[in-house]
Amino acid sequence: MGKDVSPVFFSREDRVRYRQKVRRCLDVFALMLDDFEFDAERPTTGLEIELNLVDKDAEPAMRNAEILANLADPTFQTELGLFNLELNARPRLIEGDGFADYQHDIQASLGRAEDRANKADATIVLIGILPTLTPRHLVLANLSSNERYWALNEQIVAARGEDIGLDIRGVERLQTFTDSIAPESACTSVQFHLQVSPDTFADYWNAAQSIAGIQVGIGANSPYLYGKQLWAETRIALFEQATDTRPDELKSQGVRPRVWFGERWITSIFDLFEENVRYFPPLLPITDDEDPVEVLHSGGVPHLGELRLHNGTIYRWNRPVYDIHNGRPHLRVENRVLPAGPTVIDMLANAAFYFGLVRDLAEADRPIWSQLPFTKAEENFHAAARRGLDARVYWPRHGEVRIADLVPEVLLPRAAAGLDRFGVAPRFRDQLLGIIAERCRTGQNGAAWQTAMVRAAERKRGLDRTTALHHMLDRYAELARTNDPVHTWPID
């Protein structure tokens, strides 16, 4: 979805041409999967981190253009809202000291960005949803200036044909309407990429789907929106609703949502791209001049631009990626379930848990997805988003179990085994997985800390909700700068 687009208007001919081109790309992709050599020699990983900008009053700061201009760093990009940035860490192997390299590079990049942000009277916060956001912040005028965001907004709203309703029932309830996709900009995430071969892609995607709920439970960090305490990871519900192109009638007919967990285990990456073409009408019908058949027959590597653009407008929580680097095509699983923050070390602990566990499950003799019904995996995902570490999920041979009990007893040893297969140095394996274990022992992830702080501010200090949220966010930012993991943060 990094492609800039202009103009916003698309004709009927544009849509017909684009549909035909997407199907042509899909046919070529099928041929490539059978006969082409993909780059899959070593399991390269990647991280993308979405950031929030706040001012001295802990309010969102709409200053990303100014900060990006002063940064002049291609690893940083705009995101949907003017108060968002995205950092793309350099891909690397995690064997040996790979996680230490990630930490050094990410902290150095964030340090540069923080310096530029300070000069614009702002600071950076890593969090799933800024708790000080209000409806006046999430409006069309506060979308970033990049034309692709405006085109996407126009197409989603037009496809919906009416205002978008938000109805999230958690500890409290939020009901409101929006006339744009601006509320989606509240959802800031960390995304993990893992390069895999065509032959193993299905195993890795199925494994990632199996543990999506577990990831959300241990990493939840988004309990507040518009002053309401909702889900432990409200970002899940908000993202699903804020980009929903379906009016109620299409929902009742079972039309698939564009933010989608999926509905089945797969046998090939082709299954996912074929579902994209079969189920989802194009939002951005932009074609280029490449004939993928000619490129393939001439010995080149097809870009498959239309297929990739279409895939970028379907928001699977584990998304398939086809990309080209140094002239060689490769495939990745893009894991999109987790919020950003609270600290760099917390995000790397989440990454270690994901990379290690997904590899162990994908390479197991008896696949976990042969024992876990797909509907249970989806139920686990939403249960964990609602209740975090305290959620009860279904896991084969253990039945219904709390995430905080399942992870240390069953899953951490498997994550450690997977990290050993990657060749991760034992000291980093133990340090990062130890953070996950301590979160489970203390019951304190980002969401739990946020809600405990707000509760203490309201009950002990007598603050109203708005003031308590601002106080909490100030303290959150202060503690996050220490890079001490969130399970160690005091409630004060």
Side-chain angles (χ1 to χ4, degrees):
M1 256 312 295
K3 187 171 184 176
D4 292 340
V5 297
S6 181
V8 170
F9 173 76
F10 299 112
S11 68
R12 286 175 291 183
E13 290 78 10
D14 290 332
R15 296 183 184 280
V16 170
R17 187 183 311 113
Y18 182 83
R19 180 176 286 109
Q20 292 171 344
K21 189 73 178 292
V22 167
R23 289 174 175 168
R24 190 171 178 85
C25 288
L26 184 65
D27 291 341
V28 168
F29 185 57
L31 294 173
M32 293 178 70
L33 291 174
D34 287 338
D35 300 324
F36 221 82
E37 183 178 350
F38 285 77
D39 187 3
E41 295 165 2
R42 306 184 77 186
T44 303
T45 68
L47 270 73
E48 299 177 43
I49 306 170
E50 295 169 353
L51 320 171
N52 288 284
L53 302 168
V54 299
D55 62 20
K56 60 181 177 57
D57 297 319
E59 296 276 314
M62 309 296 173
R63 295 169 197 160
N64 67 359
E66 176 184 354
I67 294 166
L68 281 172
N70 290 332
L71 260 174
D73 183 343
T75 62
F76 286 90
Q77 302 174 5
T78 58
E79 254 299 327
L80 183 61
L82 288 171
F83 61 97
N84 303 140
L85 293 174
E86 181 178 90
L87 167 61
N88 293 284
R90 177 179 57 81
R92 72 200 70 206
L93 302 172
I94 56 172
E95 67 182 24
D97 296 349
F99 280 111
D101 291 341
Y102 264 131
Q103 180 167 336
H104 178 269
D105 284 358
I106 292 170
Q107 288 184 310
S109 295
L110 290 175
R112 293 193 302 273
E114 179 71 2
D115 178 69
R116 302 307 189 276
N118 290 165
K119 291 175 181 175
D121 296 320
T123 191
I124 290 171
V125 177
L126 298 167
I127 198 167
I129 295 177
L130 269 180
T132 55
L133 284 167
T134 68
R136 67 183 173 84
H137 298 123
L138 300 180
V139 295
L140 187 59
N142 286 335
L143 292 190
S144 292
S145 60
N146 194 312
E147 289 182 351
R148 75 178 185 269
Y149 301 130
W150 292 79
L152 191 63
N153 175 77
E154 178 104 354
Q155 295 304 304
I156 287 177
V157 173
R160 176 74 177 237
E162 58 190 43
D163 285 351
I164 298 170
L166 302 178
D167 187 355
I168 305 174
R169 307 179 192 198
V171 176
E172 299 167 347
R173 185 177 182 182
L174 173 67
Q175 286 182 291
T176 189
F177 287 88
T178 176
D179 62 359
S180 74
I181 64 169
E184 182 195 337
S185 64
C187 304
T188 46
S189 65
V190 59
Q191 295 152 29
F192 304 141
H193 291 254
L194 181 60
Q195 184 176 316
V196 297
S197 70
D199 290 343
T200 62
F201 182 94
D203 292 342
Y204 276 89
W205 188 86
N206 289 341
Q209 290 285 98
S210 300
I211 64 171
I214 312 300
Q215 287 182 268
V216 169
I218 62 175
N221 196 29
S222 312
Y224 293 100
L225 176 64
Y226 292 174
K228 304 278 191 180
Q229 183 183 347
L230 301 170
W231 294 8
E233 189 49 42
T234 304
R235 200 182 107 264
I236 302 300
L238 177 59
F239 195 37
E240 288 177 343
Q241 296 183 25
T243 54
D244 198 342
T245 58
R246 305 168 303 161
D248 289 343
E249 294 81 2
L250 293 185
K251 294 178 188 177
S252 299
Q253 294 171 33
V255 172
R256 279 83 173 173
R258 296 194 88 96
V259 178
W260 198 28
F261 188 82
E263 60 191 17
R264 60 177 176 136
W265 306 118
I266 64 168
T267 58
S268 167
I269 187 175
F270 185 81
D271 295 347
L272 300 178
F273 281 102
E274 193 272 335
E275 284 180 348
N276 289 354
V277 175
R278 179 154 40 107
Y279 294 147
F280 299 99
L283 285 180
L284 300 174
I286 306 154
T287 56
D288 58 33
D289 295 331
E290 178 190 76
D291 184 335
V293 175
E294 288 186 5
V295 173
L296 185 65
H297 288 167
S298 66
V301 179
H303 185 258
L304 306 183
E306 293 79 8
L307 190 71
R308 294 163 71 186
L309 178 60
H310 189 50
N311 184 52
T313 64
I314 298 156
Y315 306 102
R316 297 176 185 272
W317 294 109
N318 284 291
R319 178 189 276 167
V321 176
Y322 165 84
D323 207 350
I324 301 169
H325 180 67
N326 292 333
R328 294 188 68 187
H330 68 263
L331 306 177
R332 303 195 303 269
V333 177
E334 181 187 21
N335 179 255
R336 304 159 49 82
V337 307
L338 284 173
T343 65
V344 172
I345 197 68
D346 280 307
M347 292 187 293
L348 291 177
N350 292 339
F353 179 77
Y354 168 72
F355 288 133
L357 184 56
V358 80
R359 180 159 187 176
D360 187 75
L361 293 176
E363 296 180 358
D365 291 336
R366 186 181 180 194
I368 191 68
W369 52 95
S370 70
Q371 310 163 60
L372 178 67
F374 194 91
T375 54
K376 285 294 185 182
E378 184 173 12
E379 289 171 10
N380 289 349
F381 180 65
H382 286 100
R386 286 178 178 273
R387 300 178 184 87
L389 280 166
D390 287 331
R392 298 188 68 84
V393 296
Y394 175 80
W395 197 254
R397 291 189 296 230
H398 295 271
E400 298 288 335
V401 58
R402 284 176 70 243
I403 288 176
D405 297 326
L406 175 69
V407 169
E409 294 174 9
V410 178
L411 300 183
L412 281 180
R414 301 196 68 168
L419 292 177
D420 288 344
R421 290 196 185 99
F422 277 110
V424 174
R427 64 184 181 278
F428 296 118
R429 175 200 66 202
D430 295 343
Q431 176 198 15
L432 296 174
L433 295 185
I435 290 172
I436 302 299
E438 283 299 296
R439 262 189 237 160
C440 294
R441 184 186 67 81
T442 62
Q444 183 163 292
N445 56 17
W449 183 88
Q450 288 189 53
T451 54
M453 278 290 291
V454 170
R455 190 181 311 116
E458 290 177 330
R459 295 178 181 176
K460 296 179 181 179
R461 299 184 179 215
L463 302 182
D464 61 42
R465 175 63 61 83
T466 298
T467 307
L469 289 170
H470 283 74
H471 166 75
M472 180 271 286
L473 185 58
D474 280 336
R475 185 69 171 131
Y476 180 105
E478 178 186 350
L479 290 168
R481 283 190 286 272
T482 69
N483 202 36
D484 293 334
V486 72
H487 73 265
T488 68
W489 289 9
I491 308 297
D492 51 22

